[in-house]
Amino acid sequence: MTSMALKISVIGTGYLGATHAACMASLGFHVIGVDVDPAKIALLQKGEIPFYEPGLDTLLAEQVQSGRLTFTTKFSDVADCDIHFLCVGTPQVTDGLAADLTFVNASLEEVGAIAKDGSLVVGKSTVPVGTAARLRARLLEINPKADLAWNPEFLREGFAVEDTLHPNRLVVGVTNDRAEEILKEVYASNIAENTPWVRADLPTAELVKVAANSFLATKISFINAMAEICEAAGGDVTVLAKAIGYDPRIGSRFLQAGIGFGGGCLPKDIRAFMARAEELGASQALEFLREIDSINLRARQRVIELVRRDLTEDLRGKKVAVLGAAFKPDSDDVRDSPALDIAVQIQAAGAIVTVHDPKAMEPAAKRFPVLNFAQSIEECVQDAEIVLHLTEWKMYREIDPLALKSYVANAIIIDGRNALDREKWLEAGWKFRALGRA
Ligand code: UDX
């Protein structure tokens, strides 16, 4: 079988699946995306994506146009595929810390029922360690001639296409050489680019993903803990981060202090990891992640404390402008967004909160209709008694503070992301507050 003759299905067409499907098609494979949501599939069939991800819209439209990429709601349509990538979501359960495996389990049953002999199911979803072995055993019960491997995904929202086409490493959890050989065919272009290739067993492959996300979360909470100390001691966390980042053993990335991490991955992954460790009788090893989570959530409270300090303890009727709703820039994802969490808490304290975001207003309004939304920065800050900068979009860094001053009631800004040019805002006559900077 030549690699381009490989037929691929991608099950689950969210951020991960839609991106993976479009990228695989762009490499020349025939790809069919499967999802149980008919509305999503109808949109994708037209070459459109139901969320904002730079570059993905064009790539996906091109691939649909080329005929290499199609979408379906029927598993029977992918029965002749050689490889099935499982890309369904594993959100946090509503009544605990663990990951909800409903979609993973259901899609394994569906794909198992149609998988042809010799086909390979490849899990990409983030799952609790042990899931892959369990799913493999179940798959072999349904079809002893199919196989299952695990191939975690490390893409960042906002850079999804780049990270999928040119990952910084490929990790494959396999139980035999044949599965690895098939995956080497799929990723031949990356292998040609010398992308590091790590073969692992199934549990290690699953663990690589949650370990990486735990490390990143730890790095962010570490610098946010230093921000708390800087505030208490009169230091400046941005200078501190720069200085420690020059040590190559530490590195400067992911040391941006501020309101902390959110999104669909980091928060739920560290919690699911703790829940799984407890099941394994190893909870002590991950006790520190509890603290990482607490530091992260505390950063949001510190912004609210700053608002109270600069306005009044009683926030009822106070006009607050919030710049940013997405959990990070270049994304319209508002899942566990620190920015929106702060906006909602201030609103619940009685303030009148108006939010602006260049891309995430629709999903934010859907989730929190109680907030006010403004179409422009100027409209958002009109008569505001305090302005909060909570997602570091480029357009906010380019604001002219002098011009903006004429709209607000009080020229006070809290930079929740340590991303604005403090000197410029001070020169324009603003009171400038930031986390971790005295
Ligand atoms: C993350 C991982 O980076 C990725 O490898 C994995 O596949 C999925 O989870 P993502 O959720 O897209 O990706 O966001 P990321 O860029 O990691 O940022 C996560 C959060 O941390 C954001 O809310 C961001 O604002 C925050 N962050 C990031 C900081 O507060 N400080 C930093 O220095 C870096």
Side-chain angles (χ1 to χ4, degrees):
M1 181 155 42
T2 67
S3 61
M4 287 309 149
L6 284 176
K7 235 181 137 181
I8 293 176
S9 91
V10 174
I11 296 152
T13 57
Y15 280 99
L16 170 57
T19 309
H20 192 64
C23 289
M24 287 291 122
S26 78
L27 294 174
F29 296 109
H30 275 272
V31 181
I32 311 179
V34 190
D35 205 290
V36 292
D37 180 347
K40 206 188 261 178
I41 289 298
L43 207 63
L44 290 162
Q45 278 167 336
K46 287 193 283 175
E48 290 168 30
I49 50 172
F51 50 85
Y52 174 71
E53 176 60 42
L56 182 59
D57 43 359
T58 326
L59 185 79
L60 188 125
E62 279 167 12
Q63 298 311 314
V64 168
Q65 191 69 37
S66 78
R68 275 190 305 273
L69 178 59
T70 55
F71 292 94
T72 182
T73 53
K74 294 202 293 283
F75 278 85
S76 55
D77 289 346
V78 299
D80 66 338
C81 286
D82 306 288
I83 301 170
H84 303 278
F85 282 104
L86 286 187
C87 296
V88 295
T90 52
Q92 188 175 335
V93 293
T94 46
D95 59 351
L97 295 186
D100 182 350
L101 296 178
T102 312
F103 305 119
V104 170
N105 293 335
S107 50
L108 190 275
E109 291 298 321
E110 297 269 17
V111 82
I114 54 90
K116 67 177 182 184
D117 291 355
S119 61
L120 182 66
V121 176
V122 184
K124 283 188 100 52
S125 309
T126 304
V127 291
V129 60
T131 305
R134 174 175 64 76
L135 295 180
R136 185 166 186 275
R138 174 64 190 138
L139 178 68
L140 296 192
E141 261 173 33
I142 313 172
N143 181 353
K145 290 190 173 151
D147 192 9
L148 182 139
W150 215 259
N151 168 220
E153 178 57 56
F154 306 102
L155 68 81
R156 297 161 297 167
E157 291 180 22
F159 300 89
V161 172
E162 172 66 17
D163 287 354
T164 303
L165 288 176
H166 307 286
N168 50 27
R169 79 286 209 190
L170 282 158
V171 179
V172 296
V174 292
T175 55
N176 55 70
D177 293 343
R178 182 178 174 272
E180 185 181 16
E181 287 313 314
I182 296 176
L183 286 165
K184 278 189 171 164
E185 277 189 53
V186 172
Y187 293 119
S189 64
N190 301 116
I191 293 171
E193 285 174 356
N194 293 323
T195 305
W197 179 268
V198 183
R199 173 176 170 156
D201 51 34
L202 293 176
T204 308
E206 292 167 306
L207 283 170
V208 168
K209 173 64 192 252
V210 282
N213 275 355
S214 298
F215 193 89
L216 295 173
T218 301
K219 226 177 156 185
I220 299 169
S221 277
F222 172 82
I223 203 64
N224 284 336
M226 294 306 112
E228 290 184 38
I229 300 294
C230 282
E231 275 166 33
D236 185 329
V237 75
T238 63
V239 178
L240 181 131
K242 194 163 124 185
I244 63 172
Y246 282 126
D247 183 334
R249 293 169 303 174
I250 296 173
S252 59
R253 297 177 71 183
F254 270 69
L255 284 184
Q256 187 76 22
I259 58 173
F261 57 84
C265 292
L266 262 43
K268 71 125 174 126
D269 285 355
I270 63 167
R271 291 172 194 156
F273 198 13
M274 282 186 269
R276 184 65 185 131
E278 196 166 336
E279 285 170 7
L280 292 168
S283 56
Q284 220 182 352
L286 298 187
E287 226 11 86
F288 75 99
L289 286 180
R290 216 170 284 285
E291 202 48 51
I292 298 306
D293 203 5
S294 303
I295 295 167
N296 191 53
L297 296 174
R298 207 151 65 218
R300 305 176 187 186
Q301 297 314 315
R302 279 163 47 231
V303 170
I304 300 170
E305 279 163 25
L306 283 181
V307 173
R308 288 209 154 97
R309 203 186 303 163
D310 273 311
L311 295 177
T312 54
E313 193 54 36
D314 182 358
L315 294 178
R316 279 175 298 178
K318 295 288 172 193
K319 286 194 162 173
V320 179
V322 169
L323 299 178
F327 86 101
K328 70 173 195 183
D330 300 312
S331 169
D332 67 352
D333 196 345
V334 297
R335 285 177 293 171
D336 201 352
S337 164
L340 267 189
D341 188 13
I342 291 169
V344 166
Q345 288 196 50
I346 293 179
Q347 195 270 348
I352 301 157
V353 180
T354 306
V355 179
H356 175 268
D357 189 287
K359 293 287 175 194
M361 287 221 288
E362 220 182 281
K366 209 182 263 176
R367 201 164 279 221
F368 297 112
V370 290
L371 297 168
N372 302 306
F373 292 90
Q375 293 306 319
S376 68
I377 297 173
E378 292 75 15
E379 190 195 327
C380 177
V381 304
Q382 186 68 51
D383 301 327
E385 290 164 271
I386 194 160
V387 179
L388 313 183
H389 172 246
L390 302 183
T391 311
E392 68 278 34
W393 287 93
K394 185 164 172 273
M395 72 183 295
Y396 299 147
R397 290 202 300 275
E398 289 167 353
I399 289 174
D400 173 1
L402 202 58
L404 203 72
K405 215 175 143 190
S406 60
Y407 294 91
V408 295
N410 299 327
I412 313 173
I413 185 156
I414 300 177
D415 183 6
R417 290 295 187 179
N418 280 309
L420 301 177
D421 182 343
R422 177 167 68 174
E423 297 316 313
K424 218 166 81 178
W425 286 78
L426 288 174
E427 268 167 33
W430 286 72
K431 260 193 199 172
F432 190 95
R433 312 273 186 243
L435 294 178
R437 302 177 85 181

